[in-house]
Amino acid sequence: MVLPNLIFYLLLSWSWVGLAGAEVIRVDSQDERILLDQYFLVDKDEPGCNNLEFSMVVNSTALFNFTGTAVSVIGSKSRRGGVFDVYLDSKLESTVDRYTASSRLECGMIMFEKTNLTFSQHSLQMTFRRNSTQFDPAISSPGYMDLQEIQYTIPDSMTAPTITPTMFSTQPAIATSTTPSNSAHAAKEWISTGTILGVVTGVLMFDLMAY
């Protein structure tokens, strides 16, 4: 019985290591690697929503270039809902409506998410289009698009790339990756493969002692 269990635990540990091998890089909206056009403003009226930038101008655009296997756009929802398009590698991926019936601004919302990308250079573009069809007519202020942060994922064995800002344009641009980024706005989160292997080894030793 020991040998079959040994094989089982080894396979289990290898599978867990594979799942743990990823890093999430977080880039807030005020990081220079996110290219915002001149219409974006910092929302100082919402201190609970850190680093929130917004635009009420139709066709205003935010661009971000990254090298990774997944990406998420974090923003807010409100009664002043706005609709914006999300393009990935110049292809329209989603049309996002920020509207919510809640009277409170809902921060930290996942507005767009894409996984299972090839580990290569990608471009992300967000463009404000119009007010939500559910826009509250009692509110005199126009709708808007906002951005709190962008998160992207890279394999644990790879180096986090530095994204070089380029001249702003209406089309996404592919940036080149060079050395690891030291930006204070980027944070890495990972699962320790050593911890996982330690747990599996402990369980295995307990099982061997039982025999």
Side-chain angles (χ1 to χ4, degrees):
M1 292 294 293
V2 175
L3 183 57
N5 284 349
L6 174 62
I7 296 174
F8 169 76
Y9 288 128
L10 287 176
L11 290 175
L12 180 63
S13 64
W14 288 337
S15 65
W16 280 0
V17 168
L19 291 174
E23 296 180 8
V24 177
I25 310 299
R26 302 174 61 181
V27 185
D28 72 51
S29 62
Q30 297 178 37
D31 192 294
E32 63 181 8
R33 289 172 293 172
I34 299 179
L35 303 181
L36 305 175
D37 66 22
Q38 67 270 30
Y39 303 112
F40 277 85
L41 302 171
V42 177
D43 192 344
K44 298 180 180 180
D45 296 330
E46 297 294 342
C49 293
N50 296 331
N51 305 314
L52 194 66
E53 300 223 14
F54 71 99
S55 175
M56 296 181 290
V57 179
V58 173
N59 292 329
S60 56
T61 297
L63 300 175
F64 180 66
N65 302 312
F66 67 99
T67 300
T69 57
V71 66
S72 300
V73 176
I74 311 299
S76 74
K77 292 186 177 183
S78 75
R79 289 190 297 172
R80 291 176 56 189
V83 175
F84 64 96
D85 289 334
V86 180
Y87 299 84
L88 188 61
D89 299 329
S90 301
K91 178 184 177 183
L92 178 62
E93 289 285 341
S94 180
T95 297
V96 180
D97 191 338
R98 293 184 52 259
Y99 177 82
T100 179
S102 173
S103 59
R104 297 176 64 253
L105 186 67
E106 300 176 358
C107 303
M109 307 296 292
I110 299 177
M111 310 304 293
F112 170 79
E113 186 174 30
K114 185 73 172 182
T115 59
N116 298 320
L117 300 173
T118 58
F119 183 66
S120 60
Q121 297 173 350
H122 300 282
S123 61
L124 182 70
Q125 173 180 322
M126 293 149 283
T127 301
F128 179 46
R129 294 305 186 193
R130 56 181 172 81
N131 287 341
S132 169
T133 55
Q134 304 178 79
F135 186 79
D136 190 341
I139 300 176
S140 58
S141 301
Y144 62 91
M145 158 190 167
D146 69 17
L147 177 64
Q148 195 167 358
E149 72 176 28
I150 295 175
Q151 302 175 2
Y152 67 99
T153 304
I154 62 173
D156 192 30
S157 60
M158 302 298 179
T159 301
T162 294
I163 302 300
T164 305
T166 58
M167 293 296 292
F168 188 87
S169 66
T170 57
Q171 296 297 323
I174 300 297
T176 56
S177 60
T178 52
T179 57
S181 170
N182 294 318
S183 170
H185 299 285
K188 297 182 180 178
E189 300 174 350
W190 64 87
I191 303 174
S192 171
T193 56
T195 301
I196 294 173
L197 288 176
V199 172
V200 172
T201 301
V203 174
L204 176 60
M205 292 298 296
F206 178 81
D207 190 63
L208 289 174
M209 293 173 63
Y211 288 95

